[in-house]
Amino acid sequence: MSAPEGIKRLLYERFLHFTHITDPISAVEIEEFADLARQHGISSYPSNVTSVHVLDCIGNHEPINNTNIAEKMNLSKASITKISTHLLKEGFIKRSQLKDNKKEVYYSLTPKGRHIYEVHAILHQMMEQRFIESMDSFSESELQAVIKFLQFMIDHHKDGFMKESP
């Protein structure tokens, strides 16, 4: 049985509003990260959240190449090349090659990058705990419905379902 169109329209309006308010989340995350980094004695860190997330991806999968980082983060290889070049220059990551494959470049964290990675993990644990606590007012069935909706949005995002059909 399909839900009434009015409810679907209301959900669409809330969805659009939600997408607009999620844009600033990256700014808040980098501000919180900067505060936490300073508390941990870190004075030099990437200035944007995507670079910190690239460090996180590298730390979780090292050694890892450009293509795999791009796939895991759903970013272009060109973006990862640009970010990794900056992270190399700043001393957060290092390049290496495997003995049996001299052509491909792999990245791993330097001690400086590892420190950023560890502080970022602390931040995400704090954010996850706040999120989990904020969900206490929902029943399990309500949360299951939200999960179903979000998974639908994720699955159909790639298909561009918001675009007009030919």
Side-chain angles (χ1 to χ4, degrees):
M1 176 165 70
S2 182
E5 189 171 319
I7 291 175
K8 292 177 187 176
R9 287 185 189 283
L10 181 60
L11 182 58
Y12 177 69
E13 289 171 14
R14 295 293 192 268
F15 170 71
L16 287 179
H17 183 83
F18 178 75
T19 60
H20 293 183
I21 64 172
T22 56
D23 286 342
I25 288 175
S26 292
V28 170
E29 183 177 352
I30 199 67
E31 287 174 24
E32 284 193 50
F33 175 78
D35 290 342
L36 195 58
R38 284 190 291 275
Q39 291 172 20
H40 282 82
I42 299 173
S43 58
S44 173
Y45 46 85
S47 61
N48 67 66
V49 74
T50 304
S51 294
V52 175
H53 286 162
V54 169
L55 286 174
D56 186 65
C57 183
I58 293 169
N60 286 325
H61 304 285
E62 62 187 335
I64 186 169
N65 65 20
N66 203 46
T67 301
N68 288 333
I69 296 169
E71 288 172 359
K72 289 183 184 308
M73 294 191 65
N74 200 23
L75 294 171
S76 69
K77 287 192 263 184
S79 293
I80 297 302
T81 298
K82 183 178 177 182
I83 293 167
S84 62
T85 299
H86 182 73
L87 293 172
L88 276 163
K89 189 169 77 172
E90 296 296 318
F92 295 116
I93 61 174
K94 59 186 174 187
R95 296 168 52 132
S96 64
Q97 295 172 313
L98 300 179
K99 291 180 180 155
D100 59 338
N101 184 353
K102 298 291 182 185
K103 181 179 165 187
E104 198 155 16
V105 173
Y106 288 84
Y107 299 107
S108 56
L109 299 177
T110 63
K112 185 177 174 181
R114 172 88 33 213
H115 202 182
I116 300 292
Y117 169 81
E118 291 166 354
V119 170
H120 182 252
I122 293 168
L123 175 65
H124 270 268
Q125 288 171 344
M126 291 167 40
M127 291 172 67
E128 180 180 23
Q129 188 59 40
R130 284 193 309 244
F131 182 86
I132 288 170
E133 289 170 3
S134 73
M135 296 292 108
D136 286 345
S137 65
F138 293 92
S139 70
E140 184 176 346
S141 63
E142 289 171 327
L143 291 173
Q144 290 293 343
V146 171
I147 291 168
K148 183 177 178 180
F149 170 74
L150 291 173
Q151 191 59 54
F152 174 85
M153 298 304 288
I154 291 165
D155 292 345
H156 290 83
H157 169 73
K158 295 173 190 141
D159 300 334
F161 75 94
M162 298 292 276
K163 295 179 185 174
E164 190 173 341
S165 300

